Amino acid sequence: MPGSSSESVARFRFKRTLDQLANKTGRGTELISLYVPPGTRIYEVLANLREEGGTSENLKSRTTRQNVQDAIERVSQRLRMFKEPPPTGLVIFAGAIPQNGQGSERMEIYTLIPPEPITVGFYRRDSRFHTEPLQNLIAEKDTYGILVIDGTEAVVATLKGRRVEIQKTFTSGIPGKSRAGGQSARRFERIREQVTNDYYKRVGQHFNEIMSQIPDLKGIIIGGPGPTKYVWAEGEYIQYMLKKKILSLIDTGYTSEAGVEEVVEKSNDILKGVRYNDEKQLVQKFLYEIGHETGKAAFGEKDIQKYLEKGVVDTLLISESLQGERLVLKCKSCGNEEEFRGTKFEADALKHELTTRACQKCGKPSLGVETEADIVDNFIDFAEKGGTRVEVISQETEEGRMLRDSFGKVAAVLRYAAN
Ligand SMILES: [Zn+2]
């Protein structure tokens, strides 16, 4: 099951903001990053900022000193707007950013509410913004179930993003092989079987309970040093629905927590495959429609815009590499509208020379900018209006790279044959 569309879009937007912030550099070490985790007292953070402001008096360069103090003042102002940090915390970036070479610095300030709680608070002054903790926060969050089992012990764990959490550990209590012979050996064997079965069941009950509580469980990996893992996985201990999610059974040298770590290491490729499988399938569906000439496929910015406006797009696939600006120009004389698409740089250049540009219809230089939007945001806005599912496709798969290189970075499957 692919993640929900809004989730894919929200994550994409947040990631894009972070990437933009990460690319900004200051003239000197003048940029401030402030992380305020939930539960922090705002007045304490303000007191720390005052102290930092005091320390910056010692900065040698007058410009740097001025910029740092301005940034600290702006951050403090922003902070005072909050009685307490939001439930997920608060991150503020501020600093003088050169807009167009030296001397063109302008104070920029950004307030971000993290999508998930941040745990560590800090203040940094550097020539760049420290976005890494937020980047990590939105890194892959798929959850997998792990069981490492052998005849003596078992561990149930979850892998969320890169974080492993041990959920429960068991010991089997299975007695070793009997050395006695005859009657007592058979009795002993029966007891042993009984204990083993109880152990498998006990692991199963907890495993099923833990895994069925995970809302979007992507898959299950079972490991262990011996044959126990096969016996357990093939038995009646794991729920049918969960059984279908088993991705692989992996031989490990260790049991317990070391065994879990080993499973995670060895299943890297498997997990990567699952992660991008949804994306591959989405693009494959589009390729199918193209290949079978069903009339339900469209690609390229112009066509996609057209179908989005008609409201006939079922699924919109946007390459994460797509970027640029869309301008709609309107002629003040004849009312004609023209569309422009290009890089931000080209859009800026066009706006500068607008007074010398002739209207395509009446020829008069009376074009004005009617609307101006980021290309991706523009697509997403139209998609949301039309109830279209939007998926942002990475460049990690062959299919993702095809979308990027062969289909103009944006493609769609239409609701019916309209193309
Ligand atoms: Zn005109």
Side-chain angles (χ1 to χ4, degrees), residues 330-336 338 358-364 366-367:
K330 193 172 181 181
C331 175
K332 286 171 202 125
S333 299
C334 72
N336 187 41
E338 294 174 23
C359 164
Q360 283 175 358
K361 200 175 174 192
C362 72
K364 286 181 190 150
S366 28
L367 291 166

Side-chain angles (χ1 to χ4, degrees), residues 293-307:
E293 297 182 26
T294 59
K296 284 171 71 181
F299 61 92
E301 290 180 35
K302 279 233 150 76
D303 271 5
I304 296 296
Q305 181 74 32
K306 185 175 80 186
Y307 291 116

Side-chain angles (χ1 to χ4, degrees), residues 340-355:
F340 168 85
R341 287 170 185 278
T343 62
K344 175 133 184 44
F345 181 77
E346 289 165 340
D348 285 343
L350 176 78
K351 281 188 283 179
H352 274 292
E353 46 187 56
L354 212 53
T355 48

Side-chain angles (χ1 to χ4, degrees), residues 152-339:
T152 51
E153 55 185 338
V155 186
V156 178
T158 53
L159 173 69
K160 192 176 185 199
R162 288 189 193 130
R163 213 175 69 233
V164 174
E165 262 179 52
I166 305 296
Q167 301 290 341
K168 195 150 178 69
T169 55
F170 308 83
T171 47
S172 72
I174 301 171
K177 297 254 185 223
S178 166
R179 292 213 179 97
Q183 188 85 21
S184 83
R186 278 195 294 280
R187 223 186 93 236
F188 184 83
E189 248 349 275
R190 270 204 308 281
I191 293 169
R192 199 168 179 277
E193 270 167 36
Q194 186 58 45
V195 175
T196 306
N197 192 44
D198 286 349
Y199 164 59
Y200 288 170
K201 268 192 187 161
R202 192 151 46 92
V203 171
Q205 271 165 13
H206 285 99
F207 183 85
N208 292 335
E209 199 182 306
I210 292 164
M211 292 308 150
S212 53
Q213 276 165 13
I214 299 170
D216 195 14
L217 186 70
K218 281 276 173 179
I220 291 167
I221 298 169
I222 297 176
T228 306
K229 58 180 174 295
Y230 299 109
V231 177
W232 189 86
E234 282 153 21
E236 300 291 306
Y237 311 105
I238 179 168
Q239 270 170 17
Y240 174 70
M241 289 306 285
L242 293 173
K243 204 172 201 165
K244 288 202 295 190
K245 293 198 174 185
I246 297 178
L247 299 169
S248 176
L249 286 110
I250 291 179
D251 272 316
T252 62
Y254 299 97
T255 54
S256 70
E257 300 188 14
V260 173
E261 292 299 337
E262 210 183 334
V263 164
V264 172
E265 266 169 46
K266 289 187 171 172
S267 47
N268 236 332
D269 285 345
I270 299 166
L271 299 187
K272 212 170 159 185
V274 175
R275 191 165 299 158
Y276 294 115
N277 198 31
D278 294 345
E279 290 185 13
K280 285 166 93 80
Q281 281 179 7
L282 287 161
V283 180
Q284 286 290 355
K285 172 91 170 72
F286 160 75
L287 293 172
Y288 173 90
E289 304 292 348
I290 285 254
H292 290 75
E293 297 182 26
T294 59
K296 284 171 71 181
F299 61 92
E301 290 180 35
K302 279 233 150 76
D303 271 5
I304 296 296
Q305 181 74 32
K306 185 175 80 186
Y307 291 116
L308 278 174
E309 285 177 15
K310 282 186 186 165
V312 297
V313 178
D314 178 69
T315 309
L316 179 65
L317 308 176
I318 302 176
S319 167
E320 64 174 5
S321 65
L322 179 67
Q323 47 183 323
E325 299 272 307
R326 175 181 186 250
L327 301 180
V328 176
L329 307 174
K330 193 172 181 181
C331 175
K332 286 171 202 125
S333 299
C334 72
N336 187 41
E337 282 190 1
E338 294 174 23
E339 185 192 55

